[in-house]
Amino acid sequence: MTYSLVVQHAAQVLTLAGGPGTQPLAGTDLAGWTIIENGYVACDGERIAAVGPMAALDHSRIAHTTRVIDATGRVVMPGLVECHTHLVFGGNRAHEFERKLRGESYLDILASGGGILSTVRATRAASEEQLLANALHHLDGFRRYGVTTVEAKSGYGLDRDTELRLVRVARQAGQQHAVRVVPTFLGAHVVPPEFKQAGPRAYVDFLLREVLSDLKGEAAYVDIFCEEGAFPLAESRYYLEQAHKMGFGLKIHAEQLHDLGGCEMAAELGATSVDHCDYLTPEAAGRIARLSQGRTVAVLLPLVPLFLRQEKYAPGRQFIEQGLPIALSTDFNPGSCPSKNLWLAMSVGCLKMGLTPREAIAAATLNAAWAIGLQQEVGSLEPGKRADVLVLEAGSVSEVPYWLGENPVRDVVIGGVLQ
């Protein structure tokens, strides 16, 4: 059988293969994966068929119908995996940017009715067609950056109908676009105005009673924002416990602005990921690694403190030393990170969180896939996985996070098809 597509003569093929395979990359494994010098990747339809050095390429399987991509002098690597985004929303929050520049904090703006609540108003007012058009536009942007899989959180509806619409739009966008979309339910983003008097417990009870039963098969994970001004630790634990009983996987936004213990609590409940973690201590990170037996991924979001002009970044180097698996994402959203540039997030992860280039690349590919339960499908260049392959205008792994803010992508292959 002939290959449908071959990427050949790569200076380096960053396979992301060679780790334990049974859990996310952690500790020295985060940088210990295999690089093939002068290598190739061959595809059979939408799947990877073979990966190796050029000397091992079976030329008899290359026919006139085979699409051949010359990657001479360039890095070839897996498509990026965005494991924390808020893809579907209405409007933007450019009008709050100057307030941030004048010194107002994220929580100050939220308390005044802005922030998340501002986007909730715009999202509720948008039609389903507008939301879908916006989502497809943003997916186009992600694809240009070499992102081939995107997790899409709801959370800007905060009522039953709009929240279900956001999940539905995310799924529709993924069906209409080459980029795979994985919906996550974040109805517990903040307490909506309608529940301001009743409080957080009444709102999460409403979500459990009125919304989650309609999400079976639509979203695999539920998420909650455990933070001052959002949901306290006790209500977050209650919600996640009940959602888990209903069969959902668990995620949490926690330790973004304060150390409330949300990450450790979620890991104790078996959370797939704990996200933000800027105020998570190395000691707690070590406990999470032991509690979860290395299966809970800490998703670090370095562009958020950058955009919010905060000094505190997650101590990624210490997390790695504690054995906690880490992933990197942008947290693309209209308020705290209006950027799809995951390459920039990798660079800032190196500069501000202490990651090496190899660790940053692993965090944005294979470990990011673990953070959304797709480690068997994407995140590495291995036979049988979906053929999501990038060719970069870079000659070595160390160059990838070096060119600050640039997009190094020359070619994007998704599911074996050159985009």
Side-chain angles (χ1 to χ4, degrees):
M1 185 178 295
T2 59
Y3 294 134
S4 56
L5 181 145
V6 173
V7 182
Q8 63 182 11
H9 298 297
Q12 291 184 334
V13 178
L14 313 185
T15 68
L16 276 297
T22 55
Q23 59 190 50
L25 300 177
T28 57
D29 286 336
L30 193 62
W33 41 269
T34 301
I35 294 177
I36 299 172
E37 307 285 341
N38 188 26
Y40 77 94
V41 178
C43 307
D44 182 3
E46 67 175 15
R47 297 287 161 179
I48 296 171
V51 182
M54 282 302 297
L57 176 59
D58 184 354
H59 291 273
S60 70
R61 297 185 66 178
I62 299 176
H64 70 279
T65 56
T66 303
R67 182 70 181 260
V68 178
I69 299 174
D70 180 22
T72 300
R74 294 176 173 85
V75 165
V76 171
M77 65 175 286
L80 299 183
V81 178
E82 263 286 10
C83 59
H84 184 129
T85 85
H86 302 252
L87 177 71
V88 187
F89 56 87
N92 63 62
R93 300 221 289 271
H95 58 285
E96 294 178 359
F97 187 50
E98 288 194 29
R99 293 176 65 181
K100 290 186 176 75
L101 297 178
R102 289 196 298 267
E104 288 190 68
S105 74
Y106 179 85
L107 292 180
D108 289 339
I109 294 172
L110 177 64
S112 71
I116 294 167
L117 296 175
S118 172
T119 299
V120 167
R121 291 190 292 272
T123 302
R124 288 179 177 181
S127 69
E128 189 158 329
E129 292 73 21
Q130 289 172 319
L131 293 172
L132 179 59
N134 289 345
L136 291 170
H137 166 75
H138 293 312
L139 288 178
D140 283 341
F142 277 120
R143 179 175 57 189
R144 286 192 290 272
Y145 280 116
V147 174
T148 58
T149 299
V150 170
E151 185 251 23
K153 299 180 188 296
S154 70
Y156 290 126
L158 306 187
D159 61 32
R160 182 184 181 280
D161 290 345
T162 312
E163 282 296 315
L164 292 175
R165 184 186 311 139
L166 295 180
V167 174
R168 184 166 63 248
V169 167
R171 291 181 68 84
Q172 290 173 342
Q175 290 163 2
Q176 295 183 28
H177 204 282
V179 174
R180 183 198 297 258
V181 177
V182 179
T184 289
F185 182 67
L186 181 59
H189 203 176
V190 293
V191 178
E194 297 86 349
F195 282 83
K196 188 172 182 180
Q197 295 302 317
R201 176 60 181 261
Y203 179 57
V204 297
D205 273 333
F206 161 76
L207 293 176
L208 292 165
R209 184 179 64 251
E210 302 290 340
V211 187
L212 261 62
S213 60
D214 290 327
L215 282 167
K216 291 294 182 67
E218 298 296 314
Y221 294 97
V222 299
D223 199 339
I224 189 168
F225 187 19
C226 179
E227 183 53 78
E228 291 183 12
F231 293 92
L233 184 65
E235 282 73 12
S236 299
R237 173 185 282 276
Y238 166 73
Y239 178 67
L240 292 179
E241 285 176 338
Q242 298 306 309
H244 185 60
K245 290 177 183 177
M246 296 175 72
F248 291 96
L250 306 181
K251 292 175 166 288
I252 193 169
H253 285 53
E255 272 68 76
Q256 178 183 356
L257 302 167
H258 301 89
D259 182 5
L260 302 184
C263 289
E264 200 167 347
M265 175 273 292
E268 178 189 335
L269 297 179
T272 301
S273 73
V274 293
D275 300 36
H276 283 289
C277 307
D278 294 315
Y279 282 79
L280 180 66
T281 66
E283 295 75 23
R287 289 194 295 272
I288 289 171
R290 292 188 292 274
L291 267 173
S292 68
Q293 297 182 315
R295 298 187 72 85
T296 296
V297 179
V299 177
L300 311 185
L301 308 165
L303 298 187
V304 174
L306 177 69
F307 188 74
L308 296 181
R309 302 200 304 167
Q310 296 168 346
E311 296 299 319
K312 186 139 181 91
Y313 288 78
R317 177 85 264 133
Q318 292 170 290
F319 291 173
I320 294 168
E321 291 168 355
Q322 290 289 336
L324 181 63
I326 64 166
L328 284 174
S329 181
T330 58
D331 190 13
F332 171 69
N333 73 83
S336 59
C337 184
S339 174
K340 307 176 188 75
N341 192 344
L342 189 48
W343 306 103
L344 179 60
M346 284 189 234
S347 298
V348 178
C350 292
L351 294 168
K352 290 293 191 177
M353 296 178 172
L355 278 62
T356 67
R358 288 179 68 129
E359 291 168 343
I361 289 166
T365 52
L366 185 56
N367 273 14
W370 274 95
I372 54 175
L374 287 182
Q375 66 274 7
Q376 299 300 322
E377 274 285 296
V378 295
S380 62
L381 299 178
E382 299 179 83
K385 285 199 169 183
R386 192 172 76 153
D388 293 354
V389 186
L390 307 181
V391 180
L392 308 185
E393 296 287 6
S396 68
V397 64
S398 60
E399 282 188 44
V400 175
Y402 165 73
W403 296 107
L404 186 65
E406 290 196 15
N407 179 6
V409 174
R410 191 195 75 177
D411 300 312
V412 180
V413 174
I414 302 180
V417 178
L418 181 63
Q419 302 296 306

